[in-house]
Structures are given as C-alpha cells and as structure tokens.
Amino acid sequence: MTSTTAGRSLFMSRTRLGPAEPRHVHLDRSLALFGVLLAVLPWANTFDSWRFLVLAGLGAFLGVTAAAVVQWFGRPLVGWPVAVAALFGVTVFVVAGGPTPGRADVLAAAKLPVTGWKALLSTVPPVDSARELVGLPFLLCALAAAFTCSLVTHSMRSWIGSLPAAALAVITMMTGTTDAWHPAAVGVGLAALSIGWAALRRRRHLRIVGTGGGARQQALVAVALIAISGALSWSLVPFIPGLAPDERFSVRTLVQPPFDMSEYASPLSGHHKFTEAMHLLWDQELVAVSGAAPGTRLRFSVLDDYRGSVWGAGNAAGVTDGSFQKVGRV
C-alpha cells in the first residue's frame, strides 16, 4: 500500500497520509467514555445524589461496549438494532430500580425519551435519583458513547470524536440548574479534551517527511494562538448562555408548572352555601361513592392556606402562590 502526499504545512513540512493503527482504538474508547461523563456533569445539582453519575458511567460503558461488539460483528445493519434493543432492556432495569421490573417499568422506559424531559424540567431540583428520571442520563450517555465510537471508527476527521460530547454538554447545561459552577468547568474540560484528542488523531494519520520550521517558531505561533483564543473567550463569555454568571439561561424558566390552583375558583369561597341557614345545599347529597367496601377511608384534597379573604394551596416551603410543585424525596 502506497501513501499519498497530503500537502505542506504552515512551516513547509511535507506530510503523508497513513493508515490508523489498531493499538489506538482503546485510547479512543477511553477518551469517548471520559468525554461523555464530563458532558453530563452539569446535572450534578439537578439530581439529589451522585447515583446519577454512576448510572451515567454504566450507560457510557455499555455504549462503548455495544459499539465494539457491532464493529467486531461486522454487520452494522443487524448489530445496531440488536445493540439498541439491549440498551433499552438495561434501561428498563434502571427505571425499575431493582431486579424485577414490571409492565409499568417497561412502559415508563419506553416513554422516558419523550415525556421524561417535561417531568425533569417541571420537578423542583434536586430530582430523586432513585426514580425513573435517572434513566435519562443513563440512556443519553449510552447513546452518546456508542455514537462517538462509531464516528471515530469510520471517519478520519480529527475533530469528529468531540461532537457527541459537546452536544450532550449543551443539553445538560440548558436543562440543569442555574446556580452551579459545573458548566464552566465542563466547557474548559471539553475544550482541552477536544484539542488534545484532535491532535492525537491527526498525528496518527499524518507522517512528517521533512520539516521546514524550527521548534522556536512553532512555539511562538502556538503561544500567539493561545493568547488570541484566550482573549476572544474572555470577551465572549458574558454573551454565552450557561457561562454568564448574571444571565444564566435554563430551559426550566420556560416550562410552566404542571398544575396551578390559582387558575381555578376556590369552592370554599362559597362556603356559606353549605350552611343550614342558607337552605341551599344543607340537605342535599354532595358526595356519593360506589364500589368501595364499608369503612374505606377517603382522601380529599383541600385548600389549606387562608390569606385573610380567600383560601389557597400552601406547601412545605411556605410559598403561597397557589402552585403545586413536584418535588423529590429531599
């Protein structure tokens, strides 16, 4: 096999395109696993424990394993549907939180990619990491890791491996909380990982034949590029969503609460109608229950906050705006 000349570099260095070596496959998979885990870190304040990161790591590992099995099998049209079905089966166990999932857990895992986002955004953080919503980081990391390994296997572009992790980081930053330092750390970490990984992949496929510039000249150009990129980053940070400390954007601010009691009239505002003196509802049947055994206890939702003139719904946090909020166990 003969190599072809790819061209000359900035320093008139002649380079030749060479085949990738199999010994670098494990390094690519390890970097893909690390990048995906780093991208899901902005959800640290969204969930109530680090269990979500453990399950995210499990999902990333299974995604890398699925990509390796499909590559070894050699038939992606057959291997990928089987791998996706296997990942869905593991997701059912993650959603169930135990070794014996039921029909409801299978249905919840099937609806999770569609309805799980609204449930995540409408639940007051920290979200319970022992319930079905923890399946979101597991599933996202599994798919992102598998997609990353597939891209770096079939493409020789040096920067291609960082795209899934970057997209996942944008998703977690925009759906997480606004009071966390993780997005800035993840941005810096992913930038360093992307640059280093791209440099390694480029050096694998390019073999230097002759050098036209010295090490001092190359070092000066590198320092200049770092200084320019640092200055641009410093000036653009206040305008980037997720990094500006005063104007942090989150999709949570766009999601309406699932139920707002203030939209409905309180039945207690007409409580005089139930008194004996009004002769309106005193002698009428108001509630009828059928199909229950005698002595069965009934549960009623009531308005428990009196504001001096009207009744409303209160909560444990002392907020009396009439909104019912979904909260986790914490």
Side-chain angles (χ1 to χ4, degrees), residues 20 45 69 102 115 125 134-135 143 148 150 162 171 214 236 239 256:
N45 283 20
V69 172
T115 62
V134 78
L143 296 178
T148 301
S150 179
S162 305
I171 293 175
L236 293 178
F239 305 98
Q256 297 295 328

Side-chain angles (χ1 to χ4, degrees), residues 10-330:
L10 179 64
F11 305 101
M12 304 300 294
S13 301
R14 295 182 58 84
T15 56
R16 292 185 178 180
L17 199 62
E21 299 182 8
R23 64 188 180 90
H24 297 298
V25 174
H26 296 293
L27 178 60
D28 284 339
R29 292 171 180 172
S30 300
L31 291 177
L33 181 65
F34 178 74
V36 168
L37 281 180
L38 186 62
V40 83
L41 188 60
W43 272 348
N45 283 20
T46 302
F47 290 90
D48 61 357
S49 70
W50 290 100
R51 182 175 182 267
F52 91 97
L53 192 61
V54 175
L55 292 177
L58 175 62
F61 175 77
L62 293 179
V64 171
T65 304
V69 172
V70 171
Q71 181 182 0
W72 173 81
F73 189 62
R75 300 181 64 181
L77 295 179
V78 178
W80 278 118
V82 174
V84 171
L87 290 176
F88 174 75
V90 181
T91 306
V92 174
F93 286 92
V94 172
V95 170
T100 56
R103 182 181 302 178
D105 299 319
V106 177
L107 183 60
K111 297 190 302 181
L112 185 65
V114 179
T115 62
W117 296 104
K118 181 64 179 293
L120 177 68
L121 294 174
S122 59
T123 303
V124 178
V127 180
D128 194 351
S129 60
R131 301 297 297 273
E132 62 272 6
L133 289 180
V134 78
L136 281 177
F138 170 83
L139 193 59
L140 283 178
C141 288
L143 296 178
F147 190 47
T148 301
C149 292
S150 179
L151 286 178
V152 298
T153 300
H154 298 90
S155 177
M156 297 181 65
R157 297 182 182 274
S158 57
W159 45 265
I160 199 71
S162 305
L163 293 182
L168 180 58
V170 172
I171 293 175
T172 55
M173 289 179 187
M174 296 185 66
T175 56
T177 59
T178 59
D179 56 345
W181 53 268
H182 310 94
V186 170
V188 174
L190 282 181
L193 177 66
S194 301
I195 294 174
W197 195 2
L200 289 176
R201 284 177 56 82
R202 180 174 175 80
R203 290 185 64 86
R204 295 174 196 169
H205 304 299
L206 294 177
R207 295 179 178 176
I208 299 177
V209 178
T211 303
R216 179 180 300 178
Q217 185 179 4
Q218 297 180 13
L220 291 176
V221 173
V223 171
L225 291 176
I226 293 175
I228 294 174
S229 61
L232 290 176
S233 300
W234 183 267
S235 60
L236 293 178
V237 158
F239 305 98
I240 299 177
L243 293 183
D246 299 330
E247 299 180 357
R248 172 74 190 280
F249 173 77
S250 176
V251 184
R252 288 180 173 273
T253 60
L254 305 178
V255 178
Q256 297 295 328
F259 186 71
D260 190 356
M261 279 296 301
S262 62
E263 298 179 358
Y264 302 90
S266 170
L268 293 182
S269 60
H271 67 277
H272 296 289
K273 299 179 181 179
F274 300 91
T275 60
E276 183 178 6
M278 293 293 293
H279 298 288
L280 293 176
L281 300 175
W282 177 260
D283 55 351
Q284 296 186 19
E285 185 181 87
L286 301 179
V287 179
V289 179
S290 60
T296 301
R297 301 180 63 182
L298 303 179
R299 177 178 294 179
F300 292 91
S301 297
V302 298
L303 303 178
D304 58 352
D305 181 68
Y306 186 67
R307 308 177 190 179
S309 58
V310 296
W311 285 84
N315 53 39
V319 180
T320 58
D321 59 353
S323 299
F324 279 100
Q325 298 176 318
K326 294 186 297 182
V327 297
R329 59 182 177 179
V330 177

